[in-house]
Amino acid sequence: MPIKDIVSNPHSPWMDGTGPEADIVISSRVRVARNLAGLPFPHMLNQIRAEEVIRAVQAAINGREFRQKVGHMELIRMKDLTPVERQVLVEKHLISPDLLESYEHKAVAISADEVLSVMINEEDHLRLQCLLPGFQLQRAWELVSRLDDGLEATLDYAFDEKLGYLTACPTNVGTGLRASVMLHLPGLVLVDQVKSVLGTITKFGLTVRGLYGEGTEAKGNLFQVSNQITLGQTEEDIMANLVSVTRQLLAQERAAREALYRERKDQLEDRVGRAYGLLKHARMMTSEEAIRLLSDLRLGIDLGIIKNIPAPLVIELMVLTRPAFLVKVVGKELSPVERDVYRAQLIRKKLSAAQQT
Amino acid sequence: MECERCHQRPATVHVTQIVNGDKRTMRLCEECAREIQVGTMGFFPQIDFHNFLSGLLHEFGFPTGPAVVTAGARCGACGLTEERFARQGLLGCGECYRYFGPRLEPVLRRIHGNTRHMGKVPERTGGKMRLKNRLERLKAELQAAVSREEFERAAELRDRIRELEKQLQEG
């Protein structure tokens, strides 16, 4: 799909709800940082040399070998997108918010299926990313590694025998690898265990943050868990650690859901039913309320309380009702009140369409 | 309740920020909250990772203010000063790792608990390195096997190590 279409399409393969453990692990992401040898890092580059980086990547992805090995990727400069389109790419998790700051000489290359992307001139020259639905870290690493090899076939990386891949920030040096899973943990939040459970994670060299909102106050009960250490371990070790900790979290979340359903069935069904009712009938809704209710609805679907709504639609709605996407869908700038009206309308429409099929 | 910042729209979001240990909660509308979070307001400095790293660098003796630049306190390739590195937490180029090497090592050890890359090596340019890394890993495994008194496994590993060492010598 061309990038101009990607920014209008609310759906992205990572929202598919496919892949293992997709009831809790929404998506798996692997990102690696790479820099080109002989060029200063992006924050030290002048305009001309920043353009050199973009052109070098363009040439690399146009190469025949790259296309055979990795497939087609389209490159677009940030300045050739509208502000809303740029924001949409952030909301779809295809680029980081940092790519929007002083974006004149920044660019992104995205594969047609939106699984692979390469951010250019963010903190490092290249940030390669693979984003997949469900619990598929190993697969994501394989795809990123292949993309990495494809680029390295023609690009010279800044690499040191002792320190590995050299990065602008010393916290990324070595493997340059940041692997993460996005987890939906309403059960642990409801039994009031999420803080203690997630607190222990840091002891395993991992870090956790709420996907929306600040700190541990994760709106929509969505949490992102990722590795902190990049130097001194193999990529396989880093991923094995994240995988085993995630498995523990999965077990804990499942246990919490079961306990809730067993001990607090009425309250749980009431909570889910109320969320569903509001989503189906409200006429105005803030993004904060939407994300909270959508999380409750998703839990209801996962527990079989709500039967006729497909689970992936909930994640799609979480993205679709973010501010920039809403503007893109409606096609004009919106006042905060209008936004809440359109948001509620969109949710009603999507939910009733899903029920009829 | 109205937003504490624009005093126009209703407050729907609580934003808690911690600045130098002081916690402050504001009731804001969604728009103001977002603006504050992306840092365009600037009435609170954004606490992010680089601030933390910067603090860590000062602890390891990197200069805290715009100090007099002495010889060697600047990367010979890109010109990044120690002072700028300490402020931003970002190095300027790959060569910076060499220029600031001895000073960086304790920092890397503090962050990663380690100072030696064990992972992937570039396919095209790093052929020999890949063998070296595999050799290191096998040696570590050998030690572990010996300490567990798994001598059969150890013998097997030793053979593979010899094989690799031969390959490396032959280039």
Side-chain angles (χ1 to χ4, degrees), chain B residues 30-51:
Chain B
E30 217 174 296
E31 290 212 343
C32 289
R34 195 166 46 248
E35 274 181 35
I36 282 182
Q37 274 156 9
V38 296
T40 49
M41 257 309 283
F43 69 74
F44 277 146
Q46 230 193 336
I47 302 295
D48 66 7
F49 195 74
H50 289 149
N51 296 121

Side-chain angles (χ1 to χ4, degrees), chain A residues 198-244:
Chain A
L198 295 179
T200 55
I201 277 183
T202 54
K203 298 199 178 91
F204 295 91
L206 300 174
T207 151
V208 63
R209 65 178 190 93
L211 187 68
Y212 301 121
E214 293 287 291
T216 49
E217 230 179 307
K219 295 190 184 104
N221 304 319
L222 289 170
F223 297 86
Q224 191 166 324
V225 180
S226 59
N227 66 297
Q228 226 164 357
I229 290 166
T230 58
L231 180 64
Q233 298 179 351
T234 65
E235 288 83 358
E236 286 74 17
D237 290 341
I238 291 171
M239 277 195 314
N241 182 36
L242 180 56
V243 165
S244 62

Side-chain angles (χ1 to χ4, degrees), chain A residues 43-70:
Chain A
H43 72 106
M44 296 284 280
L45 280 182
N46 62 29
Q47 301 178 0
I48 296 163
R49 306 196 87 187
E51 275 300 312
E52 258 178 58
V53 178
I54 300 181
R55 276 201 301 274
V57 176
Q58 179 75 73
I61 64 178
N62 283 347
R64 201 164 54 95
E65 209 184 325
F66 180 90
R67 296 166 75 104
Q68 274 171 358
K69 195 164 189 168
V70 183

Side-chain angles (χ1 to χ4, degrees), chain A residues 34-38 65 69 148-162 164-166, chain B residues 117 119-133 168 171:
Chain A
R34 298 289 186 253
N35 285 285
L36 304 185
E65 209 184 325
K69 195 164 189 168
D148 184 34
D149 296 341
L151 291 169
E152 199 254 338
T154 51
L155 299 174
D156 282 336
Y157 283 156
F159 182 84
D160 178 81
E161 282 211 9
K162 184 163 176 281
Y165 294 93
L166 302 178
Chain B
H117 178 57
K120 185 174 175 175
V121 168
E123 185 152 303
R124 180 170 52 89
T125 52
K128 199 165 179 179
M129 258 224 68
R130 202 154 346 113
L131 291 181
K132 276 192 199 162
N133 273 7
L168 266 171

Side-chain angles (χ1 to χ4, degrees), chain A residues 187-311:
Chain A
L188 286 172
V189 173
L190 281 173
V191 299
D192 208 15
Q193 289 292 316
V194 82
K195 272 189 191 153
S196 67
V197 170
L198 295 179
T200 55
I201 277 183
T202 54
K203 298 199 178 91
F204 295 91
L206 300 174
T207 151
V208 63
R209 65 178 190 93
L211 187 68
Y212 301 121
E214 293 287 291
T216 49
E217 230 179 307
K219 295 190 184 104
N221 304 319
L222 289 170
F223 297 86
Q224 191 166 324
V225 180
S226 59
N227 66 297
Q228 226 164 357
I229 290 166
T230 58
L231 180 64
Q233 298 179 351
T234 65
E235 288 83 358
E236 286 74 17
D237 290 341
I238 291 171
M239 277 195 314
N241 182 36
L242 180 56
V243 165
S244 62
V245 171
T246 303
R247 289 214 180 285
Q248 292 306 310
L249 285 172
L250 284 174
Q252 305 263 14
E253 170 66 16
R254 294 232 162 83
R257 289 182 184 189
E258 271 165 36
L260 280 165
Y261 201 56
R262 202 173 52 235
E263 309 288 335
R264 299 273 188 280
K265 188 159 185 267
D266 292 333
Q267 290 94 323
L268 196 61
E269 285 183 343
D270 182 63
R271 187 185 178 100
V272 170
R274 280 169 188 275
Y276 193 26
L278 278 171
L279 289 164
K280 266 203 313 196
H281 298 292
R283 290 313 198 246
M284 285 178 72
M285 194 168 284
T286 64
S287 68
E288 193 192 3
E289 185 183 17
I291 219 133
R292 183 167 49 80
L293 297 174
L294 285 167
S295 170
D296 287 347
L297 177 64
R298 174 69 195 244
L299 178 63
I301 295 169
D302 291 338
L303 289 172
I305 299 169
I306 302 284
K307 293 212 162 54
N308 45 14
I309 303 287

Side-chain angles (χ1 to χ4, degrees), chain A residues 335-356:
Chain A
S335 72
V337 171
E338 282 177 317
R339 212 182 296 163
D340 292 351
V341 170
Y342 277 110
R343 182 178 290 117
Q345 195 182 73
L346 191 70
I347 293 171
R348 288 202 309 276
K349 210 168 77 186
K350 286 267 175 186
L351 286 180
S352 64
Q355 269 181 308
Q356 278 154 14

